[in-house]
Amino acid sequence: MNFTMNEFFQKHPNIRYLYFGGKGGVGKTVVAGATALWFSKQGKKTLLASTNPVHSLSNLLEQNVFGKPVSVKGSPNLHASEIDTSETIERSKKDIKNKIAWFLKFADIPTKAEDFVESATMNPAFEESAMFENMINIIFEDEYEVYVFDTAPTANARRLLGMSKVYALWVNKMHKSREEARQIRLSLSFRKKKPEDEQDALLDYLTTFRDRIDKMRGLLTDEEKTAFFFVTLLESLPIAVIKRFIGWFKDFGIPIGGVIVNEAIDKSEVNENTAEFIRNRVAMQEKYREEVIQSFDNFCGEAPLFEKEVKGLAMVERVTNAIFAQD
Ligand SMILES: Nc1ncnc2c1ncn2[C@@H]1O[C@H](COP(=O)(O)OP(=O)(O)OP(=O)(O)O)[C@@H](O)[C@H]1O
Ligand SMILES: [Mg+2]
């Protein structure tokens, strides 16, 4: 390993936003839960939030945490929440409908907003975007010291960062041309109106939106506050997936915390009497651990394959103890 999780967080004392990404089923939820538990034990008020539409935190914690943040039983400082997608989507649909209606009115286009809403919200990326919006809301509410997000919104983070640059250019241009138009309107007007009397709702909206995106981009790329971790098994596909993710993230300047290996078979349990099937898997894992070491310079934790699934706080704590070195 290149460093430990403890060392990483010692070096980043102001860290607040943690994300866990990786291929399906590799243990993102489990490792996110274990990390959130560690922070709560450090005395930090921590929120473990799932942005994955297929939720699994309630199952992990054996407690219903759907819809709103709930205090986790048996663990002071730890709160958990599965974000309710359906509610977010309904809200976003309404929001979009209002905006379209308002825009059509503004642009003097005699069409009903409904015609557009359906096509806008049938987009497969809509649910993902609604989730992302919700995550931003939780962050801006600023109620917790540390936020651990189960499932990194990989595609969205990428899109947001790309979009924010284009968007800033666009809004600034809009600003300029609307300002010019307003000046002309004022100079042609006989009424004596002070410039600041003129409300410009569209421009206000665009400016607010730009500032929100800018703020989020600022947080997402702030390596003091944010880190993306990637979970992998010692297998070919999950390693390939995170290689790709890490490449993208580097290109976009999103800070990468490290790579965590999950479900490694404990070699000390294996001898010549062990079933061939298991010995083969151990040999395979050895090979892929070499690949992890060669490919990543931030391999920072490893959890063993346990004798049973990770369910309930006691099991989560075993994962915490595995990926965080003991004091
Ligand atoms: N180290 C481990 N030992 C034993 N079982 C594990 C271990 N890590 C994860 N599991 C089990 O593997 C399954 C998948 O883990 P988890 O739900 O955390 O994966 P995930 O990456 O979040 O999946 P998804 O992509 O569906 O969200 C769960 O049943 C979990 O209990
Ligand atoms: Mg999961």
Side-chain angles (χ1 to χ4, degrees):
M1 266 182 298
N2 301 92
F3 49 87
T4 66
M5 293 279 272
N6 307 52
E7 280 165 1
F8 182 85
F9 293 124
Q10 263 159 28
K11 278 203 185 128
H12 297 81
N14 300 322
I15 208 93
R16 292 194 65 195
Y17 312 108
L18 301 169
Y19 295 87
F20 290 84
K23 192 179 172 299
V26 296
K28 298 179 292 291
T29 301
V30 159
V31 174
T35 307
L37 182 63
W38 185 81
F39 271 100
S40 72
K41 282 173 182 262
Q42 305 292 303
K44 302 248 184 187
K45 189 179 174 193
T46 305
L47 180 70
L48 170 63
S50 159
T51 56
N52 192 337
V54 184
H55 292 297
S56 44
L57 291 183
S58 292
N59 183 66
L60 180 77
L61 302 168
E62 299 179 317
Q63 186 182 338
N64 183 11
V65 300
F66 183 71
K68 61 175 195 315
V70 173
S71 179
V72 175
K73 285 189 204 108
S75 184
N77 297 323
L78 183 58
H79 306 259
S81 172
E82 293 173 334
I83 296 170
D84 181 359
T85 338
S86 60
E87 194 192 286
T88 316
I89 286 183
E90 280 317 307
R91 206 175 336 115
S92 301
K93 269 191 183 166
K94 231 160 82 204
D95 214 34
I96 284 191
K97 189 175 153 193
N98 289 340
K99 275 182 202 129
I100 293 177
W102 176 58
F103 178 77
L104 292 174
K105 193 166 153 248
F106 195 87
D108 256 337
I109 302 171
T111 313
K112 282 212 188 76
E114 280 79 5
D115 301 344
F116 291 93
V117 176
E118 212 43 38
S119 61
T121 55
M122 289 302 274
N123 184 332
F126 188 74
E127 179 164 336
E128 203 194 343
S129 297
M131 272 297 188
F132 196 70
E133 266 295 302
N134 216 312
M135 181 198 83
I136 296 178
N137 286 340
I138 290 181
I139 285 179
F140 288 176
E141 276 167 20
D142 208 20
E143 275 201 35
Y144 300 87
E145 289 174 271
V146 175
Y147 296 79
V148 179
F149 291 101
D150 168 23
T151 299
T154 315
N156 254 312
R158 244 178 115 213
R159 231 174 278 134
L160 176 105
L161 295 182
M163 195 170 87
S164 66
K165 280 189 198 151
V166 179
Y167 210 82
L169 283 175
W170 188 59
V171 173
N172 293 341
K173 184 121 182 70
M174 286 281 283
H175 250 295
K176 228 176 122 204
S177 62
R178 292 188 71 81
E179 183 55 31
E180 282 165 11
R182 198 176 62 131
Q183 289 301 339
I184 292 171
R185 220 170 33 247
L186 281 174
S187 64
L188 290 176
S189 167
F190 294 109
R191 282 174 293 149
K192 283 278 166 254
K193 239 178 160 186
K194 280 188 262 148
E196 55 268 28
D197 291 343
E198 283 246 321
Q199 285 292 320
D200 195 332
L202 180 58
L203 204 53
D204 285 351
Y205 165 71
L206 291 173
T207 309
T208 310
F209 193 60
R210 179 198 57 190
D211 293 348
R212 194 173 147 85
I213 287 187
D214 271 0
K215 187 173 164 196
M216 193 57 208
R217 182 181 57 161
L219 290 181
L220 266 183
T221 53
D222 183 343
E223 55 183 70
E224 297 252 303
K225 295 202 179 99
T226 300
F228 279 67
F229 286 88
F230 296 95
V231 182
T232 186
L233 305 180
L234 292 170
E235 284 174 28
S236 149
L237 266 179
I239 293 174
V241 165
I242 68 172
K243 274 186 193 164
R244 199 166 63 229
F245 282 177
I246 289 177
W248 285 349
F249 279 43
K250 280 193 174 145
D251 289 348
F252 277 90
I254 304 180
I256 296 158
V259 171
I260 296 154
V261 164
N262 189 27
E263 298 186 1
I265 300 171
D266 183 356
K267 255 200 329 194
S268 66
E269 302 268 356
V270 180
N271 55 44
E272 62 273 21
N273 300 322
T274 307
E276 190 187 355
F277 164 79
I278 295 176
R279 279 189 280 129
N280 284 344
R281 289 204 72 94
V282 170
M284 177 195 80
Q285 290 200 340
E286 291 278 285
K287 190 183 106 199
Y288 284 116
R289 187 181 290 94
E290 272 313 304
E291 183 175 341
V292 166
I293 292 167
Q294 296 293 319
S295 312
F296 306 108
D297 55 10
N298 48 14
F299 175 26
C300 66
E302 183 168 310
L305 175 65
F306 291 108
E307 73 286 355
K308 56 179 180 180
E309 65 184 333
V310 180
K311 206 164 170 321
L313 217 53
M315 278 306 288
V316 175
E317 193 165 7
R318 283 175 71 184
V319 180
T320 310
N321 292 341
I323 59 176
F324 286 87
Q326 303 303 295
D327 295 326

